[in-house]
Structure formats: structure tokens, C-alpha cells
Amino acid sequence: MTMRITLLAGGVGGAKLAEGLAAICPPENLSIIGNIADDEEFHGLWVSPDIDTLTYSLADMIDRKQGWGLADERHRVLAGLERLGCDTWMSLGDQDMATHIFRTQLRNQGVRPSAIAQTIAESLGVKAHILLPTDDPLQTRIKTEQGWLSFQEYFVRERCQPDVLDIRFKGAEESWPTPEAVQAIKNADLLLIAPSNPIVSIAPILAIPGIRQAVAETRAARVAVSPLIGGRTIKGPADRMLVASGFACNSLGVADSYAGLIDGLVIDDEDQAEREELEARGFQVLTTSTLMTCAEDKNRLAKDVLAFASTVGVEEAATC
């Protein structure tokens, strides 16, 4: 039997696990539902950071040093905009601009955002299915002492410095899930949640009406990979956002953030001490190294997760 895998993912951490899975699984059996709540318009262009990070990573075109954007990038367009007095705190490379121009042109023609994402992925040689959770506008809003900020304003412009007072997903209640995303969840043998930020990468996907219900009701084995190592994140504000959202900054807090949605949790070796309590709460637990610094790490973790998943909520073992 061949596993049909659906991965819920944000940007950098999600893309790393997606690469590991894509390296060992048939691409037609891998669906990745990416976060779109970081999307925002810059210079009249629609930018989709997490979807592009997933796409560029799977196309092996990503800037490996910074984890996002395209390799061998230049910023002449941005420099020109800056000379004209434009606000250029959002770093967009020249090749990256081409993606955003293409996306914006098609959106203005009324093409579904889901179809646009798939077209871009196919154009770059990506074989796995990159799916949007909704075609409707959805934006993470962060409340700080400065007021409400978009996620990119908080993350990039303010460098995650302001204290987080509240988090909302603007447009979530009015949105509709894409049929492709719902079907990928329902048809999956394994539903994975990537080591992405549970609060601002995964929660926006789950906030879309119909998505959380599909995850709760799927017959697939449901496994999350914790983004924490020793109670801290390698990159990004997930640890602080867990606390700001009322969760403990450890594997237990990650598990609580996915209450009712997962059967198993993969945690890092450094968090081994939390395993007993997680198991007491009814979770199956895999302890392994979750740090992904190279292709070998990504492939190894993907193999570990799949082997673990074959023991979680499935009637028979399955392999890619």
C-alpha cells in the first residue's frame, strides 16, 4: 500500500519537511496545504510568502542561507523603488518580483488563486500538489501596543519585537475552504502538521470553516511535528506566540494547541522529559532529532515520521 500524505505547513519549517517527504514519496501522493494568512500586497503586487517558500524549496530554487526567496537573487528593482521614495522594508528580489507580477496579473483576470499557485509550481517543476486552504482573502493580524499590524509588518518591519497582545485571522469566518484542500484531508492515509508556528502558520488554516472539521473527522493517522527544540524555536516567534496565546512553551503546549486534532506528536530528543506526560494525555510520541540543517536531516526526519505514523491510528503499516 502507498500512503497518501497531506501536510499542513507554513513557510521555512514546513518547507523543510515537505522537501524530505518529496524526496522519498511519489509526488502524486503528496499534498501540501500551505498558509496564506501572511499574504499581503506590496507595490501593487500580491505576495504569498509561505506558498512561495514551499514552492521555491520543492523546486530547489530557494536561497538556502536565509531560508526564503530565490537563490542568486538581486534587488535592483527594490533599489529603484527606494530611490523613488517607496517604503521597501519588505525585501523582494528581482526574480521573485516576476512571480508576484504573474500572480497579480492572473488574479486581476479572475483566475482562482488555487489555480495560480498550481500553475506557478508546475512551471518551476514541482510535482507535489501545493494547495491553498481557501481562495478567499485571509490575513493574520497582530495586536501590539502600536495597534493592529499585519503579520508581515510585525514579522519583517518590526522584527517580532513588540509584545503580542492578541491575534486574529481577518476574513476567516467569511471564507470557504477549497474543495481540493478538503478532499486532500479526507482522502489522506496520513495527515501531518509540519514543525511550523502553531499559532500563525497552522491556526489560520484551521480557522477556515470546514478545515478543522475535516481534520477532526478524517480517518487518517494524524501526527504533528513540534517546532520546538528544548522549549525554543530555531527561527521565528513561535515560542513567544504560544505563551501569548495561553499555551505552555514546550511540547505539552504544542499538543494542547492541537487538542482534538492529532493522535501523535514528534518531539526532539532534547524534550524527552516531556514524553511521559504527553503519553499520559493519550498521545503517541516519537522522540528523535527534529533539527533539519541539510537534505540528509530532512530525509531522515521524513522517514522517521512515516515509520512512526504507521503505528499511529492506522490498521496496517504503509510505506511510500
Side-chain angles (χ1 to χ4, degrees):
M1 176 182 173
T2 301
M3 258 191 194
R4 291 166 298 186
I5 301 169
T6 296
L7 176 71
L8 306 189
V12 178
K16 288 181 178 181
L17 184 57
E19 285 187 275
L21 292 168
I24 63 174
C25 298
E28 64 271 16
N29 292 330
L30 177 60
S31 297
I32 304 156
I33 302 174
N35 171 42
I36 64 160
D38 295 359
D39 290 16
E40 193 167 342
E41 185 177 285
F42 295 95
H43 313 299
L45 304 177
W46 195 253
V47 180
S48 190
D50 281 2
I51 298 300
D52 288 342
T53 296
L54 287 165
T55 303
Y56 294 160
S57 295
L58 290 168
D60 196 22
M61 298 172 67
I62 198 80
D63 184 327
R64 299 287 174 187
K65 184 175 181 180
Q66 65 184 8
W68 51 270
L70 286 159
D72 303 318
E73 188 64 281
R74 302 184 70 181
H75 294 83
R76 298 185 66 180
V77 173
L78 208 66
L81 288 168
E82 188 172 21
R83 283 197 300 271
L84 294 170
C86 296
D87 200 342
T88 58
W89 53 264
M90 185 66 171
S91 181
L92 302 172
D94 296 347
Q95 299 177 84
D96 197 27
M97 286 276 195
T99 301
H100 310 321
I101 291 170
F102 180 73
R103 176 186 292 117
T104 304
Q105 286 179 334
L106 292 185
R107 285 173 65 97
N108 290 341
Q109 293 169 16
V111 179
R112 285 180 65 211
S114 287
I116 299 170
Q118 195 62 42
T119 297
I120 293 171
E122 290 173 355
S123 298
L124 299 184
V126 176
K127 303 298 184 183
H129 308 292
I130 295 182
L131 309 177
L132 303 191
T134 181
D135 287 321
D136 297 319
L138 175 65
Q139 188 179 62
T140 296
R141 304 288 295 174
I142 310 291
K143 186 178 183 181
T144 70
E145 291 182 350
Q146 304 174 32
W148 288 95
L149 306 175
S150 71
F151 181 78
Q152 296 304 331
E153 289 171 332
Y154 169 79
F155 186 73
V156 180
R157 191 187 71 192
E158 303 301 324
R159 301 178 184 271
C160 304
Q161 293 302 310
D163 290 336
V164 177
L165 305 179
D166 195 7
I167 300 172
R168 294 180 183 173
F169 307 123
K170 183 180 178 181
E173 293 182 359
E174 297 79 30
S175 66
W176 289 84
T178 62
E180 295 91 344
V182 172
Q183 201 66 28
I185 295 169
K186 288 183 176 180
N187 291 343
D189 299 304
L190 170 59
L191 178 76
L192 284 177
I193 299 179
S196 301
N197 188 319
I199 307 303
V200 294
S201 292
I202 304 301
I205 299 174
L206 296 172
I208 297 165
I211 296 288
R212 176 178 287 271
Q213 181 180 357
V215 173
E217 296 178 352
T218 183
R219 299 179 64 183
R222 303 172 303 174
V223 173
V225 181
S226 172
L228 303 180
I229 297 178
R232 300 179 63 184
T233 53
I234 298 301
K235 182 181 291 186
D239 43 8
R240 283 180 288 153
M241 286 189 164
L242 279 165
V243 174
S245 299
F247 299 104
C249 186
N250 54 27
S251 301
L252 300 167
V254 173
D256 287 341
S257 74
Y258 297 137
L261 300 177
I262 61 171
D263 309 298
L265 184 65
V266 179
I267 64 175
D268 190 77
D269 290 325
E270 288 191 27
D271 300 304
Q272 169 73 36
E274 295 158 11
R275 176 173 189 149
E276 184 175 348
E277 187 170 347
L278 285 166
E279 291 177 335
R281 296 187 185 187
F283 297 104
Q284 291 180 249
V285 181
L286 170 67
T287 304
T288 187
S289 173
T290 60
L291 183 64
M292 294 178 282
T293 59
C294 60
E296 289 75 15
D297 289 342
K298 298 167 190 174
N299 297 354
R300 175 199 49 75
L301 180 59
K303 290 176 182 177
D304 287 350
V305 170
L306 294 186
F308 172 59
S310 71
T311 70
V312 176
V314 290
E315 296 178 356
E316 60 181 293
T319 57
C320 282

